[in-house]
Amino acid sequence: MVTVGEALIRAAAELTGRIAEPVRLDAELLLAHVLDVDRVWFQIHDRDPLTTAHLEEFAALVTRRAGGEPIGYLFGSSEFYSLTIEVTPDVLIPRPETEMLVDLAQALLRNRLRSRVLDLCTGSGCIAVAIAAQLPTVMVVATDISPEALAVAERNVKRLDLSDRIELRRGDLFQQAPERFDLIVSNPPYVAKNDPALTRDVAEFEPRLALIDVLDGDGLGFYRQIASRARAHLASGGTILLEVGETQAQRVGEMFEHEGLVVETHRDLAGIERVVAARS
Protein backbone atom coordinates (compact mmCIF):
# COMPACT_ATOMS: atom_id res chain seq x y z
CA MET A 1 0.00 0.00 0.00
CA VAL A 2 1.36 3.43 -0.98
CA THR A 3 1.44 5.98 1.83
CA VAL A 4 0.68 9.70 1.57
CA GLY A 5 4.36 10.57 1.94
CA GLU A 6 5.48 8.06 -0.69
CA ALA A 7 2.85 9.31 -3.16
CA LEU A 8 4.02 12.90 -2.71
CA ILE A 9 7.68 11.94 -3.26
CA ARG A 10 6.80 10.05 -6.46
CA ALA A 11 4.66 12.91 -7.74
CA ALA A 12 7.37 15.48 -7.08
CA ALA A 13 9.84 13.30 -8.96
CA GLU A 14 7.48 13.05 -11.93
CA LEU A 15 6.95 16.81 -12.00
CA THR A 16 10.63 17.72 -11.63
CA GLY A 17 12.00 19.19 -14.84
CA ARG A 18 8.57 19.31 -16.45
CA ILE A 19 7.03 22.30 -14.68
CA ALA A 20 8.42 25.30 -12.86
CA GLU A 21 9.36 24.85 -9.22
CA PRO A 22 8.20 24.21 -6.54
CA VAL A 23 7.13 20.73 -7.57
CA ARG A 24 6.49 19.59 -3.98
CA LEU A 25 3.93 22.37 -3.53
CA ASP A 26 2.10 21.34 -6.69
CA ALA A 27 2.13 17.71 -5.59
CA GLU A 28 0.64 18.65 -2.22
CA LEU A 29 -2.01 20.88 -3.79
CA LEU A 30 -3.10 18.06 -6.10
CA LEU A 31 -3.25 15.44 -3.37
CA ALA A 32 -5.03 17.81 -0.99
CA HIS A 33 -7.64 18.32 -3.71
CA VAL A 34 -8.11 14.56 -4.14
CA LEU A 35 -8.40 13.94 -0.40
CA ASP A 36 -10.37 17.13 0.32
CA VAL A 37 -7.95 18.23 3.04
CA ASP A 38 -5.65 21.21 3.55
CA ARG A 39 -1.88 20.93 3.22
CA VAL A 40 -1.33 21.10 6.98
CA TRP A 41 -3.01 17.69 7.19
CA PHE A 42 0.04 16.09 5.57
CA GLN A 43 2.25 16.96 8.54
CA ILE A 44 0.56 14.38 10.76
CA HIS A 45 -0.74 11.92 8.15
CA ASP A 46 2.45 11.29 6.18
CA ARG A 47 2.31 7.54 6.86
CA ASP A 48 -1.39 7.07 6.16
CA PRO A 49 -2.11 4.66 3.29
CA LEU A 50 -3.91 5.85 0.17
CA THR A 51 -6.81 3.91 -1.28
CA THR A 52 -6.46 2.64 -4.81
CA ALA A 53 -9.16 5.05 -6.00
CA HIS A 54 -7.41 8.06 -4.46
CA LEU A 55 -4.04 6.96 -5.82
CA GLU A 56 -5.42 6.58 -9.35
CA GLU A 57 -7.14 9.97 -9.24
CA PHE A 58 -3.98 11.60 -7.92
CA ALA A 59 -1.81 9.93 -10.57
CA ALA A 60 -4.11 11.17 -13.34
CA LEU A 61 -3.89 14.75 -12.06
CA VAL A 62 -0.11 14.55 -11.73
CA THR A 63 0.18 13.35 -15.33
CA ARG A 64 -1.94 16.23 -16.56
CA ARG A 65 0.05 18.71 -14.47
CA ALA A 66 3.32 17.27 -15.80
CA GLY A 67 1.95 17.96 -19.28
CA GLY A 68 1.73 21.64 -18.36
CA GLU A 69 -1.98 21.97 -17.61
CA PRO A 70 -2.52 24.73 -15.02
CA ILE A 71 -3.79 23.71 -11.60
CA GLY A 72 -6.79 26.04 -11.90
CA TYR A 73 -8.09 24.07 -14.87
CA LEU A 74 -7.38 20.76 -13.14
CA PHE A 75 -9.52 21.86 -10.20
CA GLY A 76 -12.06 23.88 -12.21
CA SER A 77 -11.68 26.80 -9.83
CA SER A 78 -9.25 29.34 -8.47
CA GLU A 79 -9.17 31.67 -5.47
CA PHE A 80 -9.46 35.40 -6.09
CA TYR A 81 -9.97 38.00 -3.39
CA SER A 82 -11.04 35.24 -0.97
CA LEU A 83 -13.71 34.09 -3.42
CA THR A 84 -13.81 30.74 -5.21
CA ILE A 85 -14.02 31.51 -8.93
CA GLU A 86 -14.97 28.87 -11.47
CA VAL A 87 -12.47 28.71 -14.32
CA THR A 88 -12.43 26.73 -17.55
CA PRO A 89 -10.07 26.81 -20.54
CA ASP A 90 -12.39 29.52 -21.97
CA VAL A 91 -11.13 32.07 -19.40
CA LEU A 92 -7.87 33.17 -17.84
CA ILE A 93 -7.00 31.88 -14.39
CA PRO A 94 -7.10 34.90 -12.03
CA ARG A 95 -3.68 36.15 -10.91
CA PRO A 96 -2.89 37.57 -7.45
CA GLU A 97 -1.61 40.82 -8.99
CA THR A 98 -5.04 41.47 -10.52
CA GLU A 99 -6.42 41.87 -6.99
CA MET A 100 -4.82 45.33 -7.03
CA LEU A 101 -7.65 46.49 -9.28
CA VAL A 102 -10.16 45.52 -6.59
CA ASP A 103 -8.10 47.18 -3.84
CA LEU A 104 -7.97 50.44 -5.79
CA ALA A 105 -11.65 50.24 -6.74
CA GLN A 106 -12.56 49.96 -3.05
CA ALA A 107 -10.41 52.95 -2.16
CA LEU A 108 -12.09 55.05 -4.85
CA LEU A 109 -15.70 54.03 -4.23
CA ARG A 110 -15.89 53.10 -0.55
CA ASN A 111 -17.57 56.34 0.50
CA ARG A 112 -19.71 56.79 -2.61
CA LEU A 113 -23.24 55.48 -2.98
CA ARG A 114 -24.78 53.97 -6.10
CA SER A 115 -21.62 54.10 -8.19
CA ARG A 116 -21.64 52.50 -11.63
CA VAL A 117 -18.70 50.33 -12.64
CA LEU A 118 -17.76 48.91 -16.05
CA ASP A 119 -15.52 45.84 -16.26
CA LEU A 120 -14.12 45.45 -19.78
CA CYS A 121 -12.89 42.01 -20.92
CA THR A 122 -14.43 40.43 -17.83
CA GLY A 123 -13.49 36.81 -18.62
CA SER A 124 -14.44 34.70 -15.60
CA GLY A 125 -16.00 37.77 -14.01
CA CYS A 126 -13.53 37.65 -11.12
CA ILE A 127 -12.97 41.42 -10.98
CA ALA A 128 -16.65 42.24 -11.32
CA VAL A 129 -17.78 39.83 -8.60
CA ALA A 130 -14.99 40.84 -6.23
CA ILE A 131 -15.86 44.53 -6.56
CA ALA A 132 -19.58 43.85 -6.15
CA ALA A 133 -18.95 41.59 -3.14
CA GLN A 134 -16.79 44.23 -1.43
CA LEU A 135 -18.94 47.25 -2.31
CA PRO A 136 -22.62 46.36 -1.75
CA THR A 137 -24.04 49.59 -3.21
CA VAL A 138 -22.28 49.54 -6.60
CA MET A 139 -23.84 48.38 -9.86
CA VAL A 140 -21.52 46.64 -12.31
CA VAL A 141 -21.73 46.13 -16.06
CA ALA A 142 -19.29 43.46 -17.29
CA THR A 143 -18.57 42.92 -20.98
CA ASP A 144 -16.69 40.35 -23.01
CA ILE A 145 -16.60 39.41 -26.67
CA SER A 146 -16.51 35.66 -25.90
CA PRO A 147 -19.85 33.92 -25.30
CA GLU A 148 -18.01 31.03 -23.65
CA ALA A 149 -16.31 33.38 -21.20
CA LEU A 150 -19.60 35.11 -20.42
CA ALA A 151 -21.18 31.73 -19.66
CA VAL A 152 -18.48 31.13 -17.03
CA ALA A 153 -18.92 34.65 -15.67
CA GLU A 154 -22.68 34.15 -15.43
CA ARG A 155 -22.23 31.00 -13.36
CA ASN A 156 -19.86 32.85 -11.00
CA VAL A 157 -22.27 35.76 -10.66
CA LYS A 158 -25.21 33.47 -9.90
CA ARG A 159 -23.31 31.22 -7.49
CA LEU A 160 -22.17 34.26 -5.50
CA ASP A 161 -25.73 35.66 -5.51
CA LEU A 162 -24.77 38.89 -7.29
CA SER A 163 -27.16 38.76 -10.25
CA ASP A 164 -29.11 41.76 -8.97
CA ARG A 165 -26.04 44.01 -9.16
CA ILE A 166 -23.98 42.65 -12.05
CA GLU A 167 -25.20 42.84 -15.65
CA LEU A 168 -23.30 40.82 -18.25
CA ARG A 169 -23.23 42.03 -21.84
CA ARG A 170 -21.62 40.45 -24.88
CA GLY A 171 -19.65 42.89 -26.98
CA ASP A 172 -16.24 44.23 -27.94
CA LEU A 173 -15.00 46.72 -25.32
CA PHE A 174 -17.52 49.61 -25.14
CA GLN A 175 -19.72 48.27 -27.94
CA GLN A 176 -22.56 47.25 -25.63
CA ALA A 177 -21.81 49.79 -22.90
CA PRO A 178 -22.56 53.24 -24.38
CA GLU A 179 -23.36 54.95 -21.06
CA ARG A 180 -20.99 56.69 -18.63
CA PHE A 181 -19.49 55.10 -15.53
CA ASP A 182 -17.89 56.31 -12.31
CA LEU A 183 -15.22 53.64 -12.62
CA ILE A 184 -13.95 51.54 -15.52
CA VAL A 185 -11.69 48.58 -14.78
CA SER A 186 -9.99 46.23 -17.19
CA ASN A 187 -7.38 43.50 -17.44
CA PRO A 188 -7.30 43.35 -21.26
CA PRO A 189 -5.17 41.09 -23.48
CA TYR A 190 -1.71 42.66 -23.27
CA VAL A 191 0.72 39.98 -24.43
CA ALA A 192 2.50 40.73 -27.70
CA LYS A 193 2.30 38.17 -30.47
CA ASN A 194 5.16 35.66 -30.29
CA ASP A 195 6.28 36.94 -26.88
CA PRO A 196 9.22 34.65 -25.92
CA ALA A 197 8.55 35.21 -22.22
CA LEU A 198 5.19 33.44 -22.40
CA THR A 199 5.44 30.25 -20.36
CA ARG A 200 4.33 26.91 -21.74
CA ASP A 201 1.41 26.39 -19.34
CA VAL A 202 0.00 29.79 -20.30
CA ALA A 203 0.70 29.62 -24.04
CA GLU A 204 -0.65 26.12 -24.55
CA PHE A 205 -3.62 26.08 -22.18
CA GLU A 206 -5.01 29.56 -21.49
CA PRO A 207 -7.27 31.17 -24.12
CA ARG A 208 -5.39 33.11 -26.78
CA LEU A 209 -8.32 35.50 -27.16
CA ALA A 210 -7.86 36.65 -23.55
CA LEU A 211 -4.08 36.80 -23.67
CA ILE A 212 -2.78 38.05 -26.99
CA ASP A 213 -3.09 41.53 -28.44
CA VAL A 214 -4.80 40.59 -31.70
CA LEU A 215 -5.44 44.24 -32.60
CA ASP A 216 -1.91 45.61 -33.10
CA GLY A 217 0.24 42.68 -32.04
CA ASP A 218 2.58 44.71 -29.82
CA GLY A 219 0.65 44.20 -26.58
CA LEU A 220 -0.72 47.75 -26.57
CA GLY A 221 -3.60 47.56 -29.04
CA PHE A 222 -6.41 47.25 -26.49
CA TYR A 223 -5.00 50.13 -24.44
CA ARG A 224 -5.03 52.34 -27.53
CA GLN A 225 -8.66 51.47 -28.18
CA ILE A 226 -9.68 52.06 -24.56
CA ALA A 227 -7.74 55.33 -24.29
CA SER A 228 -9.27 56.78 -27.44
CA ARG A 229 -12.80 56.16 -26.14
CA ALA A 230 -12.44 56.42 -22.36
CA ARG A 231 -13.51 60.05 -21.95
CA ALA A 232 -16.81 59.36 -23.70
CA HIS A 233 -17.63 56.67 -21.13
CA LEU A 234 -16.34 58.23 -17.89
CA ALA A 235 -18.65 60.26 -15.68
CA SER A 236 -17.36 63.58 -14.39
CA GLY A 237 -14.50 62.83 -12.00
CA GLY A 238 -14.52 59.19 -13.05
CA THR A 239 -11.46 56.93 -13.09
CA ILE A 240 -10.22 54.09 -15.25
CA LEU A 241 -8.00 51.37 -13.75
CA LEU A 242 -5.97 49.14 -16.07
CA GLU A 243 -3.72 46.21 -15.33
CA VAL A 244 -0.60 46.39 -17.51
CA GLY A 245 2.38 44.21 -18.30
CA GLU A 246 5.78 44.68 -16.64
CA THR A 247 7.17 47.19 -19.15
CA GLN A 248 3.98 48.84 -20.35
CA ALA A 249 3.00 51.38 -17.67
CA GLN A 250 4.81 54.39 -19.10
CA ARG A 251 3.54 53.93 -22.65
CA VAL A 252 -0.02 53.20 -21.52
CA GLY A 253 0.02 56.23 -19.22
CA GLU A 254 1.13 58.45 -22.10
CA MET A 255 -1.83 57.28 -24.18
CA PHE A 256 -4.28 58.48 -21.54
CA GLU A 257 -2.40 61.70 -20.89
CA HIS A 258 -2.66 62.41 -24.61
CA GLU A 259 -6.45 62.12 -24.21
CA GLY A 260 -6.41 64.74 -21.45
CA LEU A 261 -6.69 62.42 -18.44
CA VAL A 262 -4.67 62.69 -15.23
CA VAL A 263 -2.50 59.59 -14.84
CA GLU A 264 -0.77 57.83 -11.97
CA THR A 265 0.68 54.34 -11.66
CA HIS A 266 0.60 51.82 -8.81
CA ARG A 267 3.24 49.21 -8.05
CA ASP A 268 2.55 45.65 -6.97
CA LEU A 269 4.32 43.83 -4.12
CA ALA A 270 7.23 43.02 -6.43
CA GLY A 271 7.73 46.71 -7.19
CA ILE A 272 6.40 46.43 -10.74
CA GLU A 273 4.20 49.22 -12.09
CA ARG A 274 1.14 47.00 -12.45
CA VAL A 275 -1.85 49.36 -12.62
CA VAL A 276 -2.34 52.58 -14.56
CA ALA A 277 -5.05 54.88 -13.16
CA ALA A 278 -6.42 57.66 -15.36
CA ARG A 279 -8.86 60.26 -14.01
CA SER A 280 -11.14 62.56 -15.97
Side-chain angles (χ1 to χ4, degrees), residues 107-205:
L108 286 167
L109 302 178
R110 184 178 294 117
N111 297 319
R112 299 178 61 174
L113 297 176
R114 301 181 181 85
S115 296
R116 288 181 56 78
V117 177
L118 173 62
D119 176 21
L120 298 172
C121 308
T122 195
S124 67
C126 63
I127 298 171
V129 299
I131 289 175
Q134 295 298 317
L135 297 166
T137 65
V138 305
M139 302 296 292
V140 182
V141 172
T143 70
D144 204 289
I145 198 170
S146 165
E148 293 82 9
L150 283 177
V152 177
E154 182 176 16
R155 292 195 293 273
N156 282 317
V157 169
K158 288 182 176 178
R159 181 171 44 79
L160 294 168
D161 197 25
L162 293 167
S163 299
D164 59 332
R165 292 194 294 114
I166 298 178
E167 180 184 355
L168 300 171
R169 302 178 187 174
R170 183 186 174 193
D172 184 21
L173 296 178
F174 298 102
Q175 183 182 54
Q176 297 300 321
E179 62 266 51
R180 292 180 181 268
F181 297 87
D182 301 292
L183 176 66
I184 299 172
V185 295
S186 186
N187 177 21
Y190 59 71
V191 177
K193 290 181 179 177
N194 304 315
D195 184 343
L198 203 60
T199 59
R200 175 190 170 198
D201 58 344
V202 174
E204 294 186 7
F205 290 94

